[in-house]
Amino acid sequence: MVAGGLSVLFCGINPGLMTAATGHHFARPGNRFWPVLQLSGFTPRQLRPDEQDELLSYGLGITNVVARATARADELTAEEYREGGRILVEKVERLAPRWLAVVGVTAYRTAFGEPKAAIGPQERLIGSTRVWALPNPSGLNAHWTAATMAQEYARLREAAGMPEA
């Protein structure tokens, strides 16, 4: 779900099985992406996965590093991440969002060969697009609460110059 000229293009790791079955990003009920988007001020209300097309009206889009659906991201190979990173760079160069937000720092590290990358803005530019690594909103990521994730997502929203929705 992408378009040219977005403020932020969110990039998940890969589709989960429910996302693959429904065609809606972050579709698993335990995934915190949609609540965190609202808590961080990107959206005025919590969207449902089947309302993902509304993101475009806010200047937001969603894609993935790897297209292959799996039950868990740890089922992906390093080669799939690297190839996905290469394809993602081509997509970002073509669409030119202001920010690429990779949702999962481990995926970012592997896809872009930056093993020491941390959550937050990255040095890397893709054309004129800035890059930010965000915490993964999966319910399996217990190190981050919805509230602490929302703070980090809000930092990105502010850096992108987007008002609170």
Side-chain angles (χ1 to χ4, degrees):
M1 203 201 59
V2 300
L6 296 170
S7 293
V8 178
L9 176 58
F10 290 97
C11 182
I13 298 169
N14 73 310
L17 298 179
M18 186 164 288
T19 291
T22 64
H24 303 123
H25 291 274
F26 301 104
R28 188 162 194 80
N31 193 291
R32 299 170 289 179
F33 179 78
W34 299 105
V36 166
L37 271 193
Q38 190 266 326
L39 289 170
S40 64
F42 272 110
T43 60
R45 66 180 180 82
Q46 182 177 323
L47 300 176
R48 297 184 316 266
D50 65 335
E51 297 175 310
Q52 67 185 11
D53 290 349
E54 285 187 38
L55 288 179
L56 294 175
S57 69
Y58 302 116
L60 307 172
I62 305 176
T63 191
N64 289 301
V65 175
V66 177
R68 182 170 72 92
T70 60
R72 295 174 51 111
D74 61 8
E75 296 174 41
L76 300 171
T77 67
E79 180 54 38
E80 284 178 294
Y81 278 110
R82 287 189 295 273
E83 177 64 11
R86 186 192 63 73
I87 293 167
L88 181 60
V89 164
E90 291 174 358
K91 184 181 293 186
V92 169
E93 287 173 341
R94 187 177 72 253
L95 297 172
R98 279 190 289 182
W99 286 88
L100 171 66
V102 180
V103 180
V105 70
T106 302
Y108 175 80
R109 290 172 182 156
T110 306
F112 291 98
E114 295 186 21
K116 296 184 183 201
I119 296 291
Q122 305 301 306
E123 295 292 320
R124 172 184 296 273
L125 285 174
I126 301 172
S128 62
T129 300
R130 301 275 324 268
V131 180
W132 197 292
L134 288 170
N136 185 337
S138 166
L140 299 174
N141 184 4
H143 293 89
W144 290 80
T145 67
T148 58
M149 275 190 274
Q151 290 172 346
E152 188 61 29
Y153 281 56
R155 285 183 56 216
L156 167 60
R157 181 184 50 75
E158 291 165 5
M162 299 179 71
E164 188 167 348

